[in-house]
Amino acid sequence: MMETLAEPFRLIALDQTDSTNDELRRQAGKGAGHGTVVWAGRQSAGRGRRGRQWVSVEGNLHCSFLLDPGPSLADAPQLSFVAAVAVREALAGLVPSASFQAKWPNDVLCQGRKMVGMLMELAEPWIILGIGVNIAVAPEPGLYPTACLRQLGSGAAPFDVLAALAEHLGTWYGRWRQEGFAPVREAWLAGAAGVGGPVTVRLADETALDGTFTGLDAQGALLLGLPDGTVRRILAGDVFFPGAR
Ligand code: BTN
């Protein structure tokens, strides 16, 4: 059977590649455009945020979407929230009995354990959105505890998850282009972990800041209430909730 995805997505399916983000960048260099998707059964050099390795095993989903960031590249970071909302909805549709939460900036958790990671990169004029979903295997915990769909009793295959993801991503991408960030932000906050509670944010220079996760600003920055009463905008960092470190 030909594997096809919802509009506007066109699939390139591979048994193996180095990283689906890298393969999609090569495809973009050869003229691929908005809506091209690379899906690989295995990755030999899967990458996570901040140069970390992403353990990529057969049975999990490794895919990357080529997206048009729209008229302002400055708004492109909002796409990671578009993706998180879409992934959360897709997983909720596949396993209605489970509760999934978005985790700033763009992970998806189940019962506090990381099930999905996303890596957004620029390949001008496009954005590459790489998504890894633990389906059959929950890799050894690295920075965070991990979980996989199989542990929830789901028999979904990688293509089932990819197809659901493409459907929801298409819908939310269209909404974002038409209505802007406000509905995305609202949907993200409605299903987010830890809002209003204590959080530790580790910055790129390894500084750790303890405070309260007071919300998300209009650009998608995490708002961190500090003990001295000030609020700091966090644009990048690793987030830890108490008890989950
Ligand atoms: C993270 O949580 O650190 C981000 C993980 C992103 C992993 C996905 S798997 C598909 C795509 N290809 C990669 O090399 N990385 C992303």
Side-chain angles (χ1 to χ4, degrees):
M1 192 187 73
M2 257 288 272
E3 285 158 334
T4 53
L5 300 176
E7 284 292 314
F9 298 114
R10 290 174 309 281
L11 182 60
I12 298 172
L14 305 168
D15 289 335
Q16 165 147 13
T17 190
D18 45 3
S19 153
T20 55
N21 273 29
D22 292 343
E23 176 55 30
L24 190 53
R25 186 180 296 276
R26 291 188 287 268
Q27 294 289 338
K30 290 189 269 179
H34 174 71
T36 307
V37 180
V38 170
W39 166 39
R42 291 182 308 278
Q43 299 182 118
S44 56
R47 285 183 280 114
R49 284 196 300 270
R50 298 171 71 179
R52 290 189 280 257
Q53 182 198 13
W54 181 259
V55 177
S56 307
V57 287
E58 187 88 52
N60 287 351
L61 177 65
H62 324 102
C63 61
S64 300
F65 291 76
L66 200 62
L67 299 174
D68 176 356
S72 166
L73 201 55
D75 291 337
Q78 296 172 3
L79 273 171
S80 70
F81 296 91
V82 171
V85 168
V87 171
R88 206 179 73 81
E89 280 190 1
L91 296 185
L94 288 166
V95 193
S97 57
S99 163
F100 298 96
Q101 291 181 305
K103 176 166 181 263
W104 191 91
N106 51 10
D107 292 344
V108 176
L109 313 177
C110 184
Q111 291 159 359
R113 295 171 171 273
K114 179 163 169 165
M115 195 170 274
V116 181
M118 300 186 220
L119 180 66
M120 240 178 60
E121 296 176 331
L122 182 63
E124 278 196 81
W126 312 111
I127 292 293
I128 293 175
L129 169 68
I131 305 179
V133 183
N134 298 335
I135 299 177
V137 179
E140 285 291 303
L143 201 55
Y144 302 113
T146 59
C148 67
L149 279 181
R150 190 73 44 90
Q151 291 167 337
L152 304 176
S154 166
F159 182 75
D160 301 330
V161 179
L162 176 61
L165 217 152
E167 191 185 319
H168 289 271
L169 185 60
T171 302
W172 276 100
Y173 175 84
R175 231 179 134 186
W176 175 68
R177 288 298 300 266
Q178 281 185 353
E179 299 173 44
F181 188 49
V184 176
R185 178 177 173 275
E186 194 181 320
W188 188 91
L189 281 169
V195 182
V199 68
T200 300
V201 180
R202 202 160 75 196
L203 304 176
D205 67 1
E206 299 297 322
T207 309
L209 299 172
D210 292 321
T212 304
F213 183 1
T214 59
L216 196 66
D217 78 3
Q219 278 75 47
L222 181 151
L223 297 175
L224 183 69
L226 295 170
D228 66 3
T230 59
V231 175
R232 179 155 170 181
R233 289 180 78 233
I234 307 287
L235 292 166
D238 292 314
V239 162
F240 301 88
F241 300 123
R245 217 175 297 193

